[in-house]
Amino acid sequence: MTAVLLARVQFALAVGFHFLFPPLTFGLSLAMLVLETMHSRSGEQVAGRASAFLVRILGLVFVLGTATGITLEFSFGTNWSQYARFVGDVFGAPLAAEGVFAFFLESVFLGVLVFGRGRVSRRMYWWAAFFVFFGAHLSGLWIIIANSWMQTPAGFAIEGGKAVLVDFWAAALNHSTLIRYAHTVAAGWVTGCLFVAGVAAYYLLKGRERREAALLLRVALPVFVVASFAQVLLGHQHSVQVARTQPEKLAAFEALWEGRTRAPLALFGAPLATEQRTFLYVGIPGLLSWLVHGDADARIAGLADFPADERPPVFVPFISYHIMIALGFLFVGLSIAALVLMAGRRVHQTRWFLRSLLLAIPLPHLANQLGWIAAEVGRQPWVVYRVLRTAEAASVTVSRGQIVFTLLVFAALYALLGAVFLRVLLALIRKGPSGVVPALPEAQSGGEVADGAH
């Protein structure tokens, strides 16, 4: 492997591990905010215990997400110093804003949630829950702005061999920011709320924590259903945006070797770039043209329409993109089952459905990882689309041996962190809401309903 490829592998490992946590934070903070609102309005102890239980898990997820995110920013200065020099004026702004406006907001008020129950007023505690929810989603927005600028750069000029910011709003609200952010938020809500629903299903299957489990399921399942259906539309709109702004990426997603009218939508296949063929191909003629342009006879650009040295790899984006979509429709199927069972008030008694929720907990994480892989590998050979090639962005003084050493250290460290995270998380789940929070502090009890602001 070359030093550049090793640096890419190391960054992929670091960001892949980190990306396990932010989407989970989105859904957990939303469920926690809903529960805290219920507790604030009614003083219901069950809602308070369920919320406090999620706060403990959210605190654990936040710690791991923060620890693994910091290493990403350092890596820009180690393995990707040419990239940092070239885009620092543009790329640094959203990263700094994420730290100043979002990270500190989220971390300070998460501290209030973890340590302040019973020590601050119920009104203040609810606002802390809201600011944690808001801060988590604001943090995600800044990161998406930074990454979207790499996908569809705008609002900059090249001066002295560097990218210089000339229009902040054009850079921030570039062609892909808003749809990618909506797509990511929906994915996070699917991830976090399926986790909550799966944990609640575990308690119902075990016949324990029944009141808290029923409430967790009542809060998380509707959000999961709505987000799963919304993700179909958002994913479609995101693909249309890719077709218009990064057409070679869409060609790789669909293994479309030649541009053509009535372009088919690929359902299955095994693309081989060296032969420019897709083995075992199954597709629907004209459907890709119709989905992108609303016209089955419209032309879609193929990989042959672009210079050979500007074409992305095909196999990895194709496989990642299609498995991600298959998982998305699996979540829709689970949502339809949930709707049917909720209509018949049979969710709690249907054990196969509860087992399905429990077993499905890891699947949104897999979909998130595959979506990220499709987006990033599909952007190659560019680190900043049609501005800076990945091969030109790496550090010139870091050797292969140094990257291999740090890669092995990272792998060992992440394995240890992952094991500790799972052990603590499973211990919290085994204890359950009543074990983690046996009773709410007096100041948060139902006796203060009249003082609540909600």
Side-chain angles (χ1 to χ4, degrees):
M1 286 187 182
T2 64
V4 173
L5 184 56
L6 284 168
R8 288 178 59 191
V9 171
Q10 185 184 95
F11 193 80
L13 173 68
V15 76
F17 187 71
H18 170 69
F19 197 44
L20 293 172
F21 304 105
L24 195 54
T25 304
F26 285 5
L28 277 175
S29 62
L30 175 60
M32 181 270 299
L33 178 62
V34 173
L35 288 165
E36 200 54 48
T37 301
M38 296 168 69
H39 177 241
S40 182
R41 286 179 179 276
S42 66
E44 190 181 352
Q45 287 283 304
V46 176
R49 274 200 302 274
S51 171
F53 175 63
L54 293 189
V55 167
R56 297 293 180 92
I57 295 176
L58 190 60
L60 175 65
V61 172
F62 180 80
V63 168
L64 267 291
T66 302
T68 54
I70 290 172
T71 57
L72 294 175
E73 301 200 15
F74 280 115
S75 70
F76 293 124
T78 54
N79 293 353
W80 302 101
S81 61
Q82 297 301 316
Y83 170 81
R85 288 192 185 94
F86 185 79
V87 305
D89 185 66
V90 179
F91 198 75
L95 293 186
E98 191 261 345
V100 173
F101 297 119
F103 173 74
F104 287 116
L105 181 73
E106 186 181 3
S107 55
V108 166
F109 283 100
L110 183 59
V112 175
L113 290 182
V114 173
F115 301 108
R117 192 181 286 276
R119 296 184 173 89
V120 299
S121 68
R122 188 177 296 170
R123 182 198 296 266
M124 180 64 208
Y125 200 83
W126 184 90
W127 277 110
F130 172 78
F131 282 126
V132 167
F133 165 80
F134 179 72
H137 289 71
L138 183 61
S139 175
L141 174 61
W142 288 114
I143 297 302
I144 289 295
I145 286 174
N147 186 263
S148 296
W149 185 83
M150 297 166 68
Q151 305 283 346
T152 52
F156 73 101
I158 303 297
E159 294 180 6
K162 297 180 181 179
V164 177
L165 186 66
V166 296
D167 187 335
F168 172 80
W169 291 110
L173 302 178
N174 60 73
H175 292 298
S176 62
T177 294
L178 295 180
I179 186 60
R180 297 181 83 239
Y181 181 62
H183 188 47
T184 303
V185 168
W189 289 2
V190 168
T191 304
C193 288
L194 184 55
F195 170 83
V196 174
V199 171
Y202 165 76
Y203 293 135
L204 291 173
L205 287 167
K206 291 290 184 182
R208 48 178 291 222
E209 310 281 356
R210 297 194 69 86
R211 294 179 64 199
E212 288 80 2
L215 185 58
L216 287 170
L217 204 55
R218 181 154 63 91
V219 168
L221 208 50
V223 178
F224 168 73
V225 169
V226 172
S228 295
F229 281 108
Q231 194 66 303
V232 175
L233 298 177
L234 293 170
H236 165 67
Q237 288 300 322
H238 187 21
S239 294
V240 172
Q241 169 261 308
V242 169
R244 291 172 178 165
T245 60
Q246 296 175 284
E248 60 270 56
K249 180 190 282 190
L250 182 76
F253 285 169
E254 294 293 331
L256 192 65
W257 306 105
E258 304 283 345
R260 55 183 292 188
T261 59
R262 296 189 63 76
L265 182 76
L267 300 180
F268 185 81
L272 187 59
T274 54
E275 297 188 19
Q276 297 197 6
R277 288 183 57 193
T278 305
F279 296 92
L280 305 173
Y281 182 83
V282 178
I284 303 176
L287 186 55
L288 182 61
S289 293
W290 184 80
L291 287 172
V292 172
H293 296 291
D295 179 2
D297 293 323
R299 185 180 189 278
I300 300 290
L303 289 160
D305 291 322
F306 303 94
D309 65 345
E310 295 184 7
R311 298 174 193 167
V314 179
F315 182 81
V316 171
F318 179 92
I319 296 297
S320 304
Y321 179 71
H322 282 80
I323 296 177
M324 175 193 68
I325 292 175
L327 288 170
F329 280 103
L330 178 64
F331 301 145
V332 170
L334 201 56
S335 296
I336 293 172
L339 286 174
V340 172
L341 293 171
M342 284 192 291
R345 299 180 180 276
R346 291 183 288 120
V347 172
H348 297 181
Q349 297 78 32
T350 309
R351 297 184 69 82
W352 68 263
F353 179 71
L354 297 176
R355 289 193 190 96
S356 299
L357 291 177
L358 181 59
L359 293 174
I361 286 177
L363 296 183
H365 291 285
L366 179 60
N368 296 337
Q369 297 283 328
L370 291 171
W372 170 77
I373 289 170
E376 299 303 308
V377 178
R379 190 187 59 215
Q380 300 304 316
W382 307 99
V383 65
V384 180
Y385 183 58
R386 293 185 179 175
V387 175
L388 180 67
R389 289 178 181 271
T390 304
E392 299 167 346
S395 299
V396 295
T397 57
V398 180
S399 69
R400 288 196 307 167
Q402 289 170 321
I403 300 174
V404 169
F405 174 75
T406 53
L407 177 60
L408 293 174
V409 171
F410 271 48
L413 184 60
Y414 287 154
L416 178 62
L417 284 174
V420 171
F421 171 76
L422 285 176
R423 181 166 183 172
V424 176
L425 177 64
L426 294 176
L428 284 172
I429 293 173
R430 276 195 294 270
K431 285 184 178 179
S434 60
V436 172
V437 191
L440 293 180
E442 193 63 27
Q444 292 284 319
S445 68
E448 288 195 356
V449 175
D451 297 329
H454 313 283

Short mmCIF file of all heavy atoms in Angstrom, two decimals, residues 197-210 213 217 347-359:
data_model
loop_
_atom_site.label_atom_id
_atom_site.label_comp_id
_atom_site.label_asym_id
_atom_site.label_seq_id
_atom_site.Cartn_x
_atom_site.Cartn_y
_atom_site.Cartn_z
N ALA A 197 -36.28 1.69 21.21
CA ALA A 197 -37.37 0.71 21.06
C ALA A 197 -36.86 -0.72 21.28
O ALA A 197 -37.55 -1.55 21.88
CB ALA A 197 -37.98 0.84 19.67
N GLY A 198 -35.65 -1.00 20.80
CA GLY A 198 -35.07 -2.34 20.99
C GLY A 198 -34.80 -2.64 22.44
O GLY A 198 -35.04 -3.77 22.92
N VAL A 199 -34.29 -1.64 23.18
CA VAL A 199 -34.05 -1.83 24.62
C VAL A 199 -35.38 -2.05 25.34
O VAL A 199 -35.50 -2.93 26.22
CB VAL A 199 -33.29 -0.63 25.20
CG1 VAL A 199 -33.23 -0.71 26.73
CG2 VAL A 199 -31.87 -0.57 24.63
N ALA A 200 -36.39 -1.26 24.97
CA ALA A 200 -37.72 -1.44 25.58
C ALA A 200 -38.27 -2.84 25.27
O ALA A 200 -38.87 -3.49 26.14
CB ALA A 200 -38.68 -0.37 25.06
N ALA A 201 -38.07 -3.30 24.03
CA ALA A 201 -38.52 -4.64 23.65
C ALA A 201 -37.84 -5.71 24.49
O ALA A 201 -38.45 -6.71 24.89
CB ALA A 201 -38.25 -4.86 22.17
N TYR A 202 -36.56 -5.49 24.78
CA TYR A 202 -35.81 -6.43 25.63
C TYR A 202 -36.47 -6.58 27.01
O TYR A 202 -36.65 -7.69 27.51
CB TYR A 202 -34.37 -5.95 25.76
CG TYR A 202 -33.58 -6.60 26.85
CD1 TYR A 202 -33.08 -7.89 26.71
CD2 TYR A 202 -33.33 -5.92 28.05
CE1 TYR A 202 -32.34 -8.49 27.73
CE2 TYR A 202 -32.61 -6.51 29.07
CZ TYR A 202 -32.12 -7.79 28.91
OH TYR A 202 -31.41 -8.37 29.94
N TYR A 203 -36.83 -5.43 27.60
CA TYR A 203 -37.47 -5.48 28.92
C TYR A 203 -38.83 -6.18 28.84
O TYR A 203 -39.19 -6.96 29.73
CB TYR A 203 -37.63 -4.07 29.48
CG TYR A 203 -36.33 -3.40 29.81
CD1 TYR A 203 -36.09 -2.08 29.45
CD2 TYR A 203 -35.33 -4.07 30.51
CE1 TYR A 203 -34.89 -1.45 29.75
CE2 TYR A 203 -34.13 -3.46 30.81
CZ TYR A 203 -33.92 -2.15 30.43
OH TYR A 203 -32.73 -1.54 30.73
N LEU A 204 -39.60 -5.89 27.79
CA LEU A 204 -40.92 -6.54 27.67
C LEU A 204 -40.78 -8.03 27.46
O LEU A 204 -41.57 -8.82 28.00
CB LEU A 204 -41.69 -5.90 26.51
CG LEU A 204 -42.14 -4.45 26.73
CD1 LEU A 204 -42.74 -3.87 25.46
CD2 LEU A 204 -43.14 -4.36 27.88
N LEU A 205 -39.79 -8.45 26.69
CA LEU A 205 -39.57 -9.89 26.50
C LEU A 205 -39.16 -10.57 27.79
O LEU A 205 -39.50 -11.73 28.04
CB LEU A 205 -38.48 -10.11 25.43
CG LEU A 205 -38.90 -9.82 23.98
CD1 LEU A 205 -37.68 -9.75 23.07
CD2 LEU A 205 -39.87 -10.88 23.48
N LYS A 206 -38.41 -9.83 28.63
CA LYS A 206 -37.96 -10.39 29.90
C LYS A 206 -39.01 -10.24 31.00
O LYS A 206 -38.83 -10.76 32.11
CB LYS A 206 -36.66 -9.68 30.35
CG LYS A 206 -35.45 -9.98 29.48
CD LYS A 206 -34.99 -11.41 29.67
CE LYS A 206 -33.74 -11.70 28.90
NZ LYS A 206 -33.30 -13.13 29.04
N GLY A 207 -40.07 -9.46 30.73
CA GLY A 207 -41.11 -9.27 31.72
C GLY A 207 -40.69 -8.41 32.89
O GLY A 207 -41.15 -8.61 34.02
N ARG A 208 -39.84 -7.43 32.66
CA ARG A 208 -39.39 -6.54 33.73
C ARG A 208 -39.43 -5.10 33.23
O ARG A 208 -39.50 -4.86 32.02
CB ARG A 208 -37.97 -6.89 34.19
CG ARG A 208 -36.96 -7.08 33.07
CD ARG A 208 -35.58 -7.37 33.60
NE ARG A 208 -35.03 -6.20 34.25
CZ ARG A 208 -33.75 -5.80 34.11
NH1 ARG A 208 -32.93 -6.49 33.33
NH2 ARG A 208 -33.31 -4.74 34.73
N GLU A 209 -39.40 -4.15 34.13
CA GLU A 209 -39.45 -2.72 33.80
C GLU A 209 -40.62 -2.42 32.86
O GLU A 209 -40.51 -1.62 31.94
CB GLU A 209 -38.13 -2.29 33.13
CG GLU A 209 -36.87 -2.69 33.83
CD GLU A 209 -36.53 -1.78 35.02
OE1 GLU A 209 -37.26 -0.78 35.23
OE2 GLU A 209 -35.57 -2.08 35.73
N ARG A 210 -41.76 -3.06 33.09
CA ARG A 210 -42.84 -3.02 32.10
C ARG A 210 -43.39 -1.61 31.89
O ARG A 210 -43.66 -1.21 30.76
CB ARG A 210 -43.97 -3.97 32.51
CG ARG A 210 -43.55 -5.43 32.57
CD ARG A 210 -44.75 -6.34 32.63
NE ARG A 210 -45.50 -6.32 31.38
CZ ARG A 210 -45.22 -7.09 30.34
NH1 ARG A 210 -44.20 -7.93 30.39
NH2 ARG A 210 -45.94 -7.02 29.27
N ALA A 213 -40.69 0.41 30.10
CA ALA A 213 -40.51 -0.12 28.75
C ALA A 213 -41.66 0.29 27.84
O ALA A 213 -41.46 0.66 26.67
CB ALA A 213 -40.38 -1.64 28.80
N LEU A 217 -41.22 2.60 24.53
CA LEU A 217 -41.69 2.12 23.22
C LEU A 217 -42.71 3.11 22.64
O LEU A 217 -42.69 3.38 21.43
CB LEU A 217 -42.32 0.74 23.39
CG LEU A 217 -42.36 -0.17 22.16
CD1 LEU A 217 -40.98 -0.38 21.57
CD2 LEU A 217 -42.99 -1.51 22.53
N VAL A 347 -48.73 -4.46 20.11
CA VAL A 347 -47.27 -4.38 20.07
C VAL A 347 -46.63 -5.14 21.22
O VAL A 347 -45.72 -5.96 21.03
CB VAL A 347 -46.82 -2.90 20.10
CG1 VAL A 347 -45.31 -2.81 20.26
CG2 VAL A 347 -47.25 -2.19 18.81
N HIS A 348 -47.14 -4.91 22.43
CA HIS A 348 -46.50 -5.51 23.62
C HIS A 348 -46.66 -7.02 23.68
O HIS A 348 -45.85 -7.72 24.30
CB HIS A 348 -47.09 -4.89 24.90
CG HIS A 348 -46.83 -3.44 25.01
ND1 HIS A 348 -47.26 -2.69 26.08
CD2 HIS A 348 -46.21 -2.57 24.18
CE1 HIS A 348 -46.90 -1.43 25.92
NE2 HIS A 348 -46.29 -1.34 24.77
N GLN A 349 -47.67 -7.55 23.03
CA GLN A 349 -47.92 -9.00 23.11
C GLN A 349 -47.29 -9.77 21.95
O GLN A 349 -47.28 -11.00 21.97
CB GLN A 349 -49.43 -9.28 23.12
CG GLN A 349 -50.17 -8.72 24.32
CD GLN A 349 -50.43 -7.24 24.23
OE1 GLN A 349 -50.60 -6.70 23.15
NE2 GLN A 349 -50.42 -6.56 25.39
N THR A 350 -46.79 -9.06 20.95
CA THR A 350 -46.28 -9.74 19.75
C THR A 350 -44.78 -9.96 19.89
O THR A 350 -43.95 -9.09 19.59
CB THR A 350 -46.59 -8.88 18.49
OG1 THR A 350 -47.98 -8.54 18.50
CG2 THR A 350 -46.28 -9.65 17.23
N ARG A 351 -44.43 -11.15 20.32
CA ARG A 351 -43.05 -11.41 20.69
C ARG A 351 -42.11 -11.43 19.48
O ARG A 351 -40.95 -11.03 19.59
CB ARG A 351 -42.95 -12.74 21.47
CG ARG A 351 -43.71 -12.70 22.79
CD ARG A 351 -43.53 -13.99 23.59
NE ARG A 351 -42.17 -14.16 24.10
CZ ARG A 351 -41.72 -13.59 25.22
NH1 ARG A 351 -42.52 -12.82 25.93
NH2 ARG A 351 -40.48 -13.80 25.62
N TRP A 352 -42.59 -11.90 18.32
CA TRP A 352 -41.70 -11.89 17.15
C TRP A 352 -41.33 -10.46 16.76
O TRP A 352 -40.20 -10.18 16.34
CB TRP A 352 -42.34 -12.60 15.96
CG TRP A 352 -43.55 -11.92 15.36
CD1 TRP A 352 -44.84 -12.17 15.62
CD2 TRP A 352 -43.53 -10.83 14.40
NE1 TRP A 352 -45.66 -11.34 14.89
CE2 TRP A 352 -44.87 -10.50 14.13
CE3 TRP A 352 -42.52 -10.13 13.75
CZ2 TRP A 352 -45.24 -9.50 13.24
CZ3 TRP A 352 -42.89 -9.11 12.86
CH2 TRP A 352 -44.22 -8.82 12.61
N PHE A 353 -42.28 -9.52 16.95
CA PHE A 353 -41.99 -8.13 16.63
C PHE A 353 -41.01 -7.53 17.64
O PHE A 353 -40.08 -6.81 17.27
CB PHE A 353 -43.29 -7.32 16.61
CG PHE A 353 -43.08 -5.87 16.30
CD1 PHE A 353 -42.72 -5.47 15.02
CD2 PHE A 353 -43.22 -4.90 17.29
CE1 PHE A 353 -42.51 -4.11 14.73
CE2 PHE A 353 -43.01 -3.56 17.00
CZ PHE A 353 -42.66 -3.17 15.72
N LEU A 354 -41.21 -7.85 18.91
CA LEU A 354 -40.28 -7.36 19.93
C LEU A 354 -38.87 -7.91 19.70
O LEU A 354 -37.88 -7.18 19.83
CB LEU A 354 -40.77 -7.76 21.33
CG LEU A 354 -42.12 -7.15 21.75
CD1 LEU A 354 -42.55 -7.70 23.12
CD2 LEU A 354 -42.04 -5.63 21.81
N ARG A 355 -38.79 -9.19 19.32
CA ARG A 355 -37.47 -9.76 19.01
C ARG A 355 -36.86 -9.07 17.79
O ARG A 355 -35.64 -8.84 17.73
CB ARG A 355 -37.60 -11.27 18.75
CG ARG A 355 -37.90 -12.09 19.98
CD ARG A 355 -37.70 -13.57 19.71
NE ARG A 355 -38.21 -14.40 20.80
CZ ARG A 355 -39.40 -14.96 20.80
NH1 ARG A 355 -40.20 -14.82 19.75
NH2 ARG A 355 -39.81 -15.68 21.83
N SER A 356 -37.70 -8.74 16.81
CA SER A 356 -37.20 -8.05 15.62
C SER A 356 -36.61 -6.69 15.97
O SER A 356 -35.56 -6.30 15.45
CB SER A 356 -38.33 -7.88 14.59
OG SER A 356 -38.83 -9.13 14.18
N LEU A 357 -37.31 -5.96 16.85
CA LEU A 357 -36.78 -4.65 17.28
C LEU A 357 -35.43 -4.80 17.96
O LEU A 357 -34.50 -4.03 17.71
CB LEU A 357 -37.77 -3.98 18.23
CG LEU A 357 -39.09 -3.49 17.65
CD1 LEU A 357 -39.97 -2.91 18.76
CD2 LEU A 357 -38.87 -2.43 16.57
N LEU A 358 -35.34 -5.81 18.81
CA LEU A 358 -34.08 -6.02 19.54
C LEU A 358 -32.94 -6.39 18.59
O LEU A 358 -31.84 -5.84 18.66
CB LEU A 358 -34.29 -7.13 20.58
CG LEU A 358 -33.09 -7.49 21.46
CD1 LEU A 358 -32.61 -6.29 22.24
CD2 LEU A 358 -33.47 -8.64 22.41
N LEU A 359 -33.21 -7.32 17.67
CA LEU A 359 -32.17 -7.78 16.75
C LEU A 359 -31.78 -6.69 15.74
O LEU A 359 -30.67 -6.71 15.19
CB LEU A 359 -32.64 -9.03 16.00
CG LEU A 359 -32.84 -10.27 16.87
CD1 LEU A 359 -33.46 -11.40 16.06
CD2 LEU A 359 -31.50 -10.72 17.46
#
